[in-house]
Amino acid sequence: MSRKPELRGRAARLARLFPAGRANQAARTPFVLLVVLLLGGGLIGLLVLNSALSEGSFKLDDLQKQTKNLTDEEQALQRDIDAYSAPDALQRRARELGMVPGGDPAFLDPDGTVKGVPGPAALRETTVPLAPEALGTPSAGATAPTPTAAAPATDPTATLTPAQSPTPVTTPTPTPGR
């Protein structure tokens, strides 16, 4: 049988600090379990973090696509607004509504006197106006322009009779399908 050598001095004092036998092995088991649990928890935490980051990346990609689509739509709408607010388009729409260019203006002074000689609006030829979208293509419902009688511009008291009043041409204007 083997015997442990007897320790003396400093080695004996150190040996007394550590428990002898199987008790030393049993004290390591909780430490090993703690380390394994910490490593497993860390790995699970990294997995959850990685999943959350990838989910955020997918949401970011979707939001960027949505932003691009909305920006494209905004630019298309701005082009439509610019086309409708162009002077020639406004003139066409005004004529479509039966408006005519104004005659000679008269101005009122603060004391109530009239400056200038007012004149009635001159009636001109009316054409079928087109919407800005239809400028490049001929309109199927367009008719030939109809001349109308013009009132003399020098007579401010001239009035139109029902036979001379312009008949507005009404054609449906297409609206953007958005």
Side-chain angles (χ1 to χ4, degrees):
M1 295 208 215
S2 81
R3 249 180 80 178
K4 272 183 159 183
E6 195 172 312
L7 298 175
R8 293 185 185 188
R10 189 175 196 189
R13 281 183 293 195
L14 286 174
R16 279 184 277 168
L17 292 175
F18 295 110
R22 286 279 167 193
N24 194 10
Q25 284 290 349
R28 287 186 186 172
T29 306
F31 178 72
V32 170
L33 286 175
L34 177 67
V35 169
V36 168
L37 286 175
L38 286 176
L39 286 175
L43 287 174
I44 291 173
L46 284 175
L47 178 66
V48 168
L49 182 63
N50 190 17
S51 298
L53 287 176
S54 64
E55 180 183 349
S57 175
F58 285 125
K59 283 183 182 177
L60 179 65
D61 188 45
D62 289 342
L63 289 174
Q64 285 175 342
K65 286 179 185 176
Q66 184 179 8
T67 301
K68 182 186 175 298
N69 290 339
L70 290 174
T71 302
D72 291 345
E73 184 177 350
E74 177 190 16
Q75 289 174 352
L77 290 173
Q78 187 63 45
R79 280 192 304 271
D80 290 346
I81 289 171
D82 292 342
Y84 280 117
S85 64
D88 56 339
L90 289 175
Q91 182 182 17
R92 279 193 300 276
R93 286 288 294 155
R95 287 191 183 193
E96 180 181 283
L97 294 172
M99 300 173 116
V100 294
D104 296 328
F107 300 98
L108 293 176
D109 280 336
D111 62 354
T113 59
V114 177
K115 284 193 173 187
V117 179
L123 297 176
R124 297 185 184 175
E125 291 185 9
T126 58
T127 60
V128 176
L130 298 175
E133 296 89 23
L135 289 177
T137 60
S139 175
T143 59
T146 57
T148 58
T154 59
D155 186 12
T157 59
T159 60
L160 294 177
T161 63
Q164 291 177 332
S165 65
T167 56
V169 178
T170 57
T171 56
T173 57
T175 58
R178 298 192 204 280

